[in-house]
């Protein structure tokens, strides 16, 4: 297995990619440079070493993942093996909002009438009520 447990620290960007928190290694490096990765509360550069027991916070797609490193790896592994390499302390994912109703007009029906515009405004939250 691709384990570096006896060889010391591993780069944080490599570890984040290896345990499947990001899809690509370059995305992990970009997240580090943008300040979306913290190791033990400090902003992490891509080459910052990570050790077993460190807390890694990764903010991607509006969600923060909080994981504690339990095993160091440098090669990307399958999801079941990757899940064994960290303890996930992330807050629960917020419930998905219901899909908003989108007003659809038939193609070729021309400009909306005043009544149609009022109905659309009502659906979109009452914007532009009146004068």
């Amino acid at each position: 297995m691709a384990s570096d447990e006896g060889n010391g620290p591993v780069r944080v960007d490599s570890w984040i990619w290896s345990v499947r928190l990001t899809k690509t290694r370059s995305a992990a490096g970009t997240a580090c440079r943008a300040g979306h990765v913290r190791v033990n509360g400090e902003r992490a550069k891509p080459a910052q070493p990570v050790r077993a027991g460190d807390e890694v916070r990764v903010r991607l797609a509006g969600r923060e993942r909080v994981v504690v490193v339990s095993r160091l790896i440098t090669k990307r592994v399958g999801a079941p093996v990757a899940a064994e390499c960290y303890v996930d302390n992330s807050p629960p994912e917020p419930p998905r909002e219901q899909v908003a109703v989108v007003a659809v007009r038939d193609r070729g029906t021309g400009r909306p009438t005043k009544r149609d515009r009022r109905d659309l405004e009502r659906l979109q939250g009452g914007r532009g009520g009146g004068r």
Side-chain angles (χ1 to χ4, degrees):
M1 185 168 309
S3 176
D4 282 354
E5 292 180 34
N7 296 339
V10 176
R11 289 174 58 115
V12 69
D13 63 342
S14 176
W15 186 82
I16 289 171
W17 167 74
S18 298
V19 297
R20 298 178 168 267
L21 294 178
T22 59
K23 289 186 178 185
T24 64
R25 171 104 183 251
S26 64
T30 302
C32 290
R33 284 187 292 280
H36 299 298
V37 178
R38 294 184 174 270
V39 176
N40 296 327
E42 301 290 324
R43 281 181 64 168
K45 292 183 179 178
Q48 179 171 336
V50 66
R51 294 177 174 80
D54 285 351
E55 179 189 66
V56 178
R57 292 176 176 262
V58 181
R59 183 159 190 80
L60 294 170
R63 181 168 183 243
E64 186 171 44
R65 300 284 308 268
V66 181
V67 297
V68 176
V69 180
S70 61
R71 199 165 97 204
L72 298 175
I73 58 173
T74 55
K75 302 285 186 192
R76 194 163 171 98
V77 293
V81 177
E84 296 172 0
C85 296
Y86 61 86
V87 178
D88 195 353
N89 295 332
S90 303
E93 199 168 335
R96 288 189 169 189
E97 297 177 13
Q98 292 182 353
V99 178
V101 178
V102 178
V104 178
R105 292 181 43 86
D106 292 330
R107 188 173 181 98
T109 56
R111 287 180 51 130
T113 64
K114 191 169 190 175
R115 175 181 283 167
D116 292 337
R117 286 195 304 270
R118 286 181 182 155
D119 291 342
L120 285 172
E121 289 169 356
R122 195 175 310 117
L123 280 173
Q124 294 174 348
R127 293 185 305 176
R131 291 182 184 217

